[in-house]
Amino acid sequence: MKRANISRLLAASFVAGLALWGANPASAEVDAEKELERYRTMINDPMANPGYLAVDRGEALWALKRGAKNVSLEQCDLGEGPGKLEAAYARLPRYFKDADRVMDLEQRLLWCMDKLQGLDTADVVKRRFSRTGQTSDMEDLVAFIANRSNGMKIEPQLQHPKEQEMAAAGEAMFFRRSSIMDFSCATCHAEPGKRIRLQALPALHEAGEAARQTMGSWPTYRVSQSAVRTMQHRLWDCYRQMRMPIPEYASDGVTALTMYLAKSAAGAEINVPSIKR
């Protein structure tokens, strides 16, 4: 076949391919999402999910005696009574009278390490997010404690005035645009159907299935990072990507956003650690 004929054939094939793609891009998108969901289902088995290794490590840390007082965290009150874990994660963040603060799980664990164990938490905070060659006590403890609420429903605590104030602050933060990108959480998460590449962006600004599915699946094992990630990390990374000042770990701002998101996700069934890309 002559070179000119080959060139015309390749060009025709390329144009035909473009026409096929342009004819039904929505179908290609649906197919891609189906394949992603099939992949998630395939690896979301406790026997295949590496996140359960963090659950096991967290269970050991919960019972480990350490700190100046040489005691474990087993008498830490996460809201359901000293040492009681079932449903604790489902009802966090919440107001704690002994601290006179609304706390999420990480804040409360740091408080218990300090007050109950007499532990210097500087190293724990330094290792707040795991990376190659560095484990994270907080990620492991959150995975273990959250897992004990599996099958339960998210129950946002909004009875105390400080809980209501925290949820209102979280809503204001969610919609506030700022920094060099003029972004807010709502830029990506206040409209259904948005995507970044193959990643769907759930609408989190109102009660609905998207908010419930999202909040019910954290903490999660991130395959791309080979690590368990908590909501603290998720919000930290969102602020980083928006080119905003990085929030302080276990800060009231992160807790406020988490409280607002939990309010939108009321009734969500918890199934963690989940597994994501």
Side-chain angles (χ1 to χ4, degrees):
M1 184 179 292
K2 293 182 178 181
R3 183 176 299 175
N5 291 336
I6 294 175
S7 298
R8 284 195 292 270
L9 180 61
L10 290 173
S13 298
F14 178 71
V15 171
L18 288 177
L20 181 62
W21 174 262
N24 197 3
S27 177
E29 183 175 300
V30 169
D31 288 345
E33 185 58 37
K34 285 182 178 179
E35 287 302 307
L36 285 170
E37 185 57 37
R38 189 169 70 88
Y39 167 75
R40 295 186 192 106
T41 301
M42 179 177 65
I43 59 178
N44 199 27
D45 185 309
M47 299 303 294
N49 183 346
Y52 279 83
L53 297 175
V55 173
D56 292 341
R57 291 193 299 268
E59 184 173 13
L61 283 169
W62 180 255
L64 179 65
K65 294 180 180 180
R66 57 181 179 172
K69 299 179 182 179
N70 193 34
V71 298
S72 72
L73 288 169
E74 291 171 307
Q75 290 305 304
C76 178
D77 185 354
L78 299 177
E80 302 303 308
K84 295 182 179 179
L85 300 181
E86 283 72 16
Y89 184 73
R91 295 168 184 155
L92 287 168
R94 69 189 301 164
Y95 174 76
F96 289 90
K97 185 176 180 180
D98 53 8
D100 193 28
R101 291 177 61 193
V102 175
M103 297 177 170
D104 74 347
L105 179 53
E106 282 94 326
Q107 283 180 313
R108 187 61 179 176
L109 284 171
L110 288 173
W111 190 91
C112 284
M113 289 174 182
D114 177 35
K115 306 298 183 185
L116 186 65
Q117 294 182 303
L119 180 69
D120 182 351
T121 59
D123 178 63
V124 175
V125 173
K126 183 179 179 180
R127 295 183 294 107
R128 58 195 178 276
F129 304 139
S130 62
R131 61 174 185 264
T132 302
Q134 175 180 291
T135 60
S136 167
D137 291 359
M138 296 303 284
E139 288 175 348
D140 293 345
L141 282 165
V142 170
F144 164 62
I145 294 165
N147 178 255
R148 295 294 291 270
S149 287
N150 267 6
M152 300 178 186
K153 308 291 186 182
I154 290 178
E155 298 179 39
Q157 303 298 293
L158 298 167
Q159 294 78 31
H160 194 278
K162 289 194 175 184
E163 293 170 341
Q164 297 166 12
E165 290 172 4
M166 192 65 88
E171 182 175 9
M173 291 177 65
F174 185 88
F175 287 99
R176 180 178 178 178
R177 302 172 71 104
S178 59
S179 195
I180 60 174
M181 302 292 287
D182 193 32
F183 267 32
S184 70
C185 302
T187 303
C188 292
H189 294 290
E191 183 180 336
K194 283 191 173 183
R195 307 179 72 87
I196 292 180
R197 298 179 294 276
L198 285 176
Q199 183 64 40
L201 297 172
L204 303 175
H205 66 300
E206 60 184 7
E209 190 59 27
R212 288 190 289 270
Q213 287 184 355
T214 299
M215 294 301 290
S217 64
W218 285 86
T220 189
Y221 180 82
R222 301 302 298 260
V223 175
S224 58
Q225 300 174 28
S226 300
V228 166
R229 296 307 189 197
T230 67
M231 185 53 61
Q232 283 275 344
H233 185 277
R234 176 65 274 171
L235 295 177
W236 170 85
D237 200 35
C238 282
Y239 270 86
R240 180 189 65 83
Q241 292 182 68
M242 289 190 288
R243 307 300 188 265
M244 290 189 183
I246 302 301
E248 182 181 347
Y249 181 72
S251 66
D252 286 342
V254 173
T255 297
L257 271 173
T258 305
M259 176 72 88
Y260 172 67
L261 295 174
K263 181 180 177 182
S264 296
E269 182 175 324
I270 296 171
N271 183 18
V272 296
S274 66
I275 192 162
K276 299 181 187 291
R277 63 171 180 79

